[in-house]
Amino acid sequence: MSPFRATPPITANWEHFEFTVDDGVATVTLDRPEKLNALTFDVYADLRDLLAELPHRGDVRVLVVTGRGRGFCSGGDVEEIIGELQKMESAELLEFTRMTGAVVKALRECPIPVIAAVNGVAAGAGSVIALASDFRLLASSAKFAFLFTKVGLAGADMGSAYLLPRLVGLGRATELLMLGDKIDAARAEAIGLASQVVPDAELAASASALARRLADGPALAYGTTKVLLTRELDMDLGSSIELEAITQALLMTAKDHGEFYAAWTAGRSPRWTGR
């Protein structure tokens, strides 16, 4: 566990989704299959808080997010969220929208690789959670739908108008966010929204293999790469080059870089420690 913790302990049990850790691989399984894993206020809050805790646990090198049953996440629950939002005043509504955005901010700023294993429909907020992940592995039957305009809201929600153009370009992002139509896995892969598409029966194994590769690799290098990719989105070239120069000089003092050289000299594979 990180020594940089205050009094509150690491949370042992998460009530609103299934959370497991196995040999460096953490898995969040959204667990409302009867509603295609629609989100509730509590699920949002727990995701936000879990992502804040992950870097401090000491036993997690990669996070996999998936859904139980035939859906990844169908977005906010119409009855438990949208119905309740109709009763709220502006201040409460702003508190809610800031909370949903905090989930995406935490996904991007958590210095741990995140894999979205999209096993079915990823709609609304579910599509943005997948979008904000570092890798998106899609089952061949999976579908995306950024359907915010379909419910009379702006297509720009939870950071989608920031992230999506940077991934697929402004033109395609405009189409996806404005029209809100479903796109299948093949098109998602063609436009760069999917990292990889695999047969439905192979999704779990493919996600597990990628998670294992990341968990067994140089965790400090992976985490630093993610942080720089996020920070440099809004930097000019000169600032990016300087930040990378400082970062590389720092990582040249890390144990993993020394381990690479020792392994190369000895003709063996490196034994990464993430330090």
Side-chain angles (χ1 to χ4, degrees):
M1 186 181 297
S2 167
F4 305 110
R5 287 282 300 171
T7 303
I10 294 292
T11 306
N13 297 303
W14 296 92
E15 298 181 11
H16 302 105
F17 44 70
E18 181 181 296
F19 177 73
T20 60
V21 179
D22 181 17
D23 194 19
V25 178
T27 302
V28 166
T29 305
L30 302 175
D31 196 13
R32 303 181 76 216
E34 73 284 357
K35 292 200 171 186
L36 295 178
N37 302 311
L39 302 171
T40 66
F41 295 122
D42 290 333
V43 175
Y44 274 120
D46 271 5
L47 282 172
R48 175 200 60 197
D49 295 347
L50 170 66
L51 290 162
E53 285 194 7
L54 280 183
H56 302 287
R57 289 180 56 100
D59 61 348
V60 174
R61 293 191 170 196
V62 59
L63 171 66
V64 178
V65 182
T66 192
R68 192 173 307 285
R70 57 191 181 86
F72 175 74
C73 175
S74 60
D77 190 295
V78 174
E79 294 176 352
E80 295 196 32
I81 287 187
I82 298 180
E84 290 301 311
L85 294 179
Q86 304 300 306
K87 308 170 188 176
M88 294 184 184
E89 301 292 336
S90 297
E92 291 177 296
L93 293 171
L94 182 56
E95 185 178 0
F96 166 70
T97 53
R98 282 176 171 163
M99 176 178 69
T100 65
V103 173
V104 170
K105 187 171 184 287
L107 278 166
R108 293 307 314 144
E109 294 189 348
C110 178
I112 292 171
V114 180
I115 301 168
V118 184
N119 54 306
V121 65
S127 65
V128 186
I129 288 171
L131 171 65
S133 300
D134 301 297
F135 300 89
R136 286 159 298 283
L137 301 188
L138 271 60
S140 56
S141 64
K143 290 180 173 60
F144 271 93
F146 296 88
L147 47 65
F148 303 107
T149 60
K150 299 280 190 180
V151 299
L153 297 174
D157 192 25
M158 296 172 63
S160 59
Y162 178 90
L163 295 172
L164 193 58
R166 287 164 169 79
L167 195 63
V168 304
L170 178 60
R172 290 192 176 100
T174 300
E175 173 195 346
L176 297 179
L177 295 181
M178 196 171 293
L179 299 180
D181 294 337
K182 286 183 180 180
I183 64 167
D184 61 21
R187 183 160 187 242
E189 184 174 35
I191 66 176
L193 182 54
S195 307
Q196 183 182 2
V197 175
V198 299
D200 288 22
E202 297 177 16
L203 179 65
S206 296
S208 179
L210 177 57
R212 186 75 269 140
R213 176 180 175 181
L214 291 166
D216 290 344
L220 181 60
Y222 290 155
T224 304
T225 301
K226 174 176 179 175
V227 169
L228 292 189
L229 282 166
T230 299
R231 295 302 178 197
E232 290 183 40
L233 286 173
D234 300 312
M235 285 186 180
D236 60 74
L237 178 59
S239 298
S240 293
I241 289 174
E242 180 64 11
L243 178 60
E244 290 180 11
I246 293 170
T247 302
Q248 290 295 59
L250 177 63
L251 263 64
M252 286 173 185
T253 68
K255 291 182 179 178
D256 273 351
H257 185 60
E259 167 59 15
F260 158 76
Y261 185 71
W264 181 82
T265 302
R268 59 174 175 80
S269 296
R271 292 186 285 268
W272 308 114
T273 62
R275 296 285 185 266

